[in-house]
Amino acid sequence: MIYTTRGPIHKSELGVTLAHEHIKWESDEFYANNMYFDKKYQEEDISLDLKYIIPIMLDIKAKGGKSVVEASPPIGGQNVRLLKELSERVDMHIIPCTGWNMTKQLYDVFSMHFEEQLANRWINDFREGLDTIDGVVIRPGHIKLLLDRGVLSKADKAMLIAAVKASKETGMPVHCHIMDAKMVHEVIEVLDKENADYQKFLWAHADEEAHKETVKLAADKGMWIGIDNIRKGTSPEKFELLSYVMSIEYGHKVLLSQDYDFYSEAKESVDNHPCTVIFEEFMPYCTENGIDEQEIIRMMTENPANFYDIDTVTKVIE
């Protein structure tokens, strides 16, 4: 099953999916914490946000999109009440997440048993739900991490270990933001030590540096590859990386998306936003240069359906 803000669906229902987007990033961490820990929302803000975001979603839907993966973690202000109402208003699926949910400096204070306690929190998010709204238990469909640039920090390493533990217990895949290709080597060391299931691990933003040797290493391990920053004017470079991934026969494990903040883009210009560029620019560019549009559509349909599909252990949600 795939867990959405309207409840679980079969993988065949997911359709064409943007696998890494932000409905609205919330910079106010106090409010973000109120939503995640206390389940308190600002209804007036939600109503205003919907006016901006609904037109974006409807434009995506008109281009053939059916689902969106929310990549904003709890500390980034994921608002499950907003997501649920948005999903219902536009009749599209939205996959929420658990994951990074506190300032990383807390690791320095509570390092003892940090991994276990954090993993238990994420397991509980899946077992009990992020919230129950209108009778729907909204369970996270993935664990979202954002690793800082540079050397893998103790806090990020602990979060990575916690994510592996929670993934093993629940089946949730790990959606991991890694901007530096060289860090992938450190991440692999941790994953190997924890005996992680690479089928459940996504290197989001592999296209940031598009380092082909590291992409090949990740593919050899069985890691999913995110070409998920397909922005306006980037089609040639994204096409090059996708062509390489396909040349090593790994197109079945790549996730495509744009990494836009829908709310911010709508506030900038709701009539001239870039949030459909993957349909309007990238797909035609691929077609012109040798990758059929139907192959891109297949990747955007079958691949996320396979990655986000959770074979739930019944005892976890009893």
Side-chain angles (χ1 to χ4, degrees):
M1 302 299 289
I2 294 176
Y3 289 87
T4 79
T5 53
R6 292 188 290 181
I9 62 171
H10 188 269
K11 61 188 292 186
S12 62
E13 300 176 67
L14 193 65
V16 174
T17 302
L18 294 175
H20 183 114
E21 304 292 335
H22 300 275
I23 301 300
K24 180 188 180 184
W25 184 276
E26 178 58 64
S27 57
D28 183 347
E29 290 186 9
F30 180 78
Y31 179 39
N33 287 336
N34 275 346
M35 290 189 287
Y36 175 65
F37 290 105
D38 301 325
K39 299 175 177 53
K40 294 181 179 178
Y41 311 92
Q42 296 175 4
E43 299 296 340
E44 290 184 5
D45 285 354
I46 289 174
S47 296
L48 182 59
D49 294 345
L50 287 169
K51 292 179 181 178
Y52 284 107
I53 302 169
I54 283 175
I56 300 283
M57 294 287 283
L58 289 177
D59 285 349
I60 291 169
K61 184 177 181 180
K63 297 295 182 181
K66 190 173 181 181
S67 301
V68 173
V69 176
E70 171 62 283
S72 302
I75 202 168
Q78 176 182 244
N79 184 331
V80 293
R81 184 172 288 277
L82 168 66
L83 300 186
K84 182 176 185 295
E85 185 167 350
L86 178 64
S87 178
E88 291 170 344
R89 294 272 291 272
V90 301
D91 190 24
M92 294 175 67
H93 301 302
I94 300 176
I95 302 176
C97 64
T98 186
W100 182 26
N101 57 0
M102 65 183 73
T103 176
K104 294 179 181 180
Q105 284 77 8
L106 283 175
Y107 175 82
D108 296 329
V109 181
F110 303 108
S111 59
M112 188 174 294
H113 307 301
F114 185 86
E115 295 94 339
E116 290 79 5
Q117 293 193 45
L118 194 54
N120 287 339
R121 173 71 202 203
W122 294 339
I123 292 167
N124 190 68
D125 283 344
F126 185 77
R127 179 182 292 120
E128 303 295 333
L130 297 162
D131 200 351
T132 298
I133 301 174
D134 300 329
V136 177
V137 179
I138 301 175
R139 292 189 169 88
H142 59 118
I143 302 168
K144 178 64 190 298
L145 302 181
L146 287 87
L147 306 186
D148 296 331
R149 286 183 180 272
V151 177
L152 186 66
S153 69
K154 291 181 180 179
D156 278 343
K157 181 179 178 181
M159 286 193 171
L160 189 57
I161 292 170
V164 172
K165 291 179 182 295
S167 178
K168 287 180 178 180
E169 180 68 19
T170 64
M172 285 188 290
V174 180
H175 185 147
C176 190
H177 163 124
I178 307 172
M179 300 299 277
D180 294 344
K182 63 183 179 181
M183 181 179 282
V184 172
H185 297 268
E186 294 181 84
V187 169
I188 286 174
E189 286 184 16
V190 175
L191 296 179
D192 281 348
K193 186 175 181 180
E194 296 299 315
N195 194 28
D197 182 358
Y198 282 94
Q199 304 295 328
K200 292 283 186 180
F201 192 89
L202 165 66
W203 170 15
H205 307 317
D207 56 337
E208 171 69 12
E209 294 182 342
H211 191 268
K212 292 177 181 176
E213 289 182 4
T214 308
V215 169
K216 179 64 165 59
L217 173 65
D220 288 342
K221 282 290 184 179
M223 193 180 290
W224 287 77
I225 305 298
I227 302 178
D228 45 27
N229 195 22
I230 302 173
R231 299 290 187 97
K232 198 166 186 175
T234 67
S235 292
E237 62 196 69
K238 306 305 178 182
F239 172 83
E240 181 181 352
L241 181 58
L242 179 59
S243 295
Y244 171 73
V245 171
M246 294 177 69
S247 76
I248 60 173
E249 299 184 351
Y250 211 66
H252 63 292
K253 293 190 73 173
V254 63
L255 295 182
L256 302 174
S257 204
Q258 309 165 130
D259 193 24
Y260 279 115
D261 182 319
F262 293 171
Y263 175 79
S264 295
E265 296 298 339
K267 286 208 73 174
E268 183 78 18
S269 176
V270 74
D271 295 321
N272 190 32
H273 64 81
C275 300
T276 52
V277 70
I278 196 167
F279 302 102
E280 296 172 342
E281 290 187 11
F282 182 67
M283 283 186 181
Y285 186 90
C286 288
T287 299
E288 291 169 7
N289 289 275
I291 301 178
D292 187 73
E293 179 178 308
Q294 289 305 310
E295 179 63 16
I296 302 298
I297 291 173
R298 186 197 64 76
M299 288 182 186
M300 293 180 68
T301 304
E302 294 180 8
N303 293 4
N306 289 332
F307 180 69
Y308 291 103
D309 188 34
I310 298 175
D311 183 14
T312 308
V313 179
T314 305
K315 68 179 180 63
V316 174
I317 56 175
E318 284 182 343

